[in-house]
Amino acid sequence: MASEPAGSEAVRLGREPIDPAQLLAAVADPAAGGNVLFVGTARGITAGVVTNRLTYEAHEPLALAALARLRLRALDRFGLVACAVWHRLGTVAPGEASVAVAASAPHRREAFAAAEWLMECIKAEVPIWKCEEGEDGRREWLHPADPTPRAEAEP
Amino acid sequence: MHDEDANAGPRLRIAVFAGMAELAGCRQIDLPWRGGTVAELRRGLADAHPAVASLLARSAVAVGGRYAGDDDPVAAGADVAVIPPVSGG
């Protein structure tokens, strides 16, 4: 695989805002022909219900390790030449990015597939939680019935 | 809160997160602990903090930075975290 971005650029879990351009730059690679950037933003309205803000927290060592492992699996599984996975912690206002993945492959198909796969895995496996705060100030941590967090289950 | 154990031996510090921290009213739960399995730890935690029992039943347990099964051992002083169902993204 060609020039790897610095570790801190490839996987990031932090409170600073996510700059999509920076993420895309982190996966620039001469062997890339398809570069897919997915940005998940905090949704301000869900089925007519207003969300004032989201707050994210994580088991940081486990979450960082899980993000790094998923990135490596994506590189291998989809034949990517570069990949970056960032997730935000702390308070995120509507419209701001809470998560972003970038995948670069020789051709677009693998890059699209990798970005989709990474997002599915992040939402299912990585120990990160969001708290929704509504217009009325009501707060709720989301712990969906499905998925339950899962170990290092290899596919 | 567990006066009978207050001056007794080893304890376990359990990190809890998100909705479980809210239910427990704290981010770390201390339990008297002389060693045992994850299943025993789950029972001890649910008995000491009934408010977390239902979410705990849907949660994973990590010991020493690795997800652990119910039969796995938990030594006194181990680094333990309860990982409730995730909602990142």
Side-chain angles (χ1 to χ4, degrees), chain A residues 62-140:
Chain A
L62 278 181
L64 256 181
L67 292 173
R69 193 170 57 242
L70 289 173
R71 172 182 171 273
L72 288 178
R73 279 167 58 191
L75 283 164
D76 181 52
R77 182 177 175 134
F78 298 95
L80 304 179
V81 294
C83 181
V85 182
W86 294 2
H87 202 297
R88 184 104 179 257
L89 296 179
T91 300
V92 180
E96 288 183 2
S98 56
V99 62
V101 302
S104 292
H107 303 283
R108 72 180 183 281
R109 202 162 310 231
E110 291 71 29
F112 274 118
E116 169 74 356
W117 180 85
L118 276 165
M119 284 308 304
E120 291 293 325
C121 293
I122 288 168
K123 293 179 85 77
E125 297 176 20
V126 180
I128 300 174
W129 302 276
K130 72 162 72 71
C131 181
E132 288 180 350
E133 186 176 318
E135 219 171 4
D136 53 2
R138 212 172 66 86
R139 301 167 71 251
E140 187 190 3

Side-chain angles (χ1 to χ4, degrees), chain B residues 11-86:
Chain B
R11 303 182 71 81
L12 198 60
R13 179 159 289 180
I14 301 160
V16 295
F17 296 89
M20 189 168 289
E22 210 145 272
L23 291 168
C26 57
R27 308 184 64 80
Q28 295 206 311
I29 298 176
D30 260 18
L31 277 189
W33 188 252
R34 296 180 180 282
T37 63
V38 168
E40 288 162 345
L41 171 67
R42 287 178 178 277
R43 277 196 292 275
L45 191 50
D47 288 348
H49 291 267
V52 308
S54 145
L55 185 53
L56 175 62
R58 303 197 287 122
S59 299
V61 174
V63 180
R66 303 183 66 91
Y67 290 97
D70 278 352
D71 295 333
D72 286 333
V74 183
D79 167 27
V80 177
V82 177
I83 309 293
V86 303

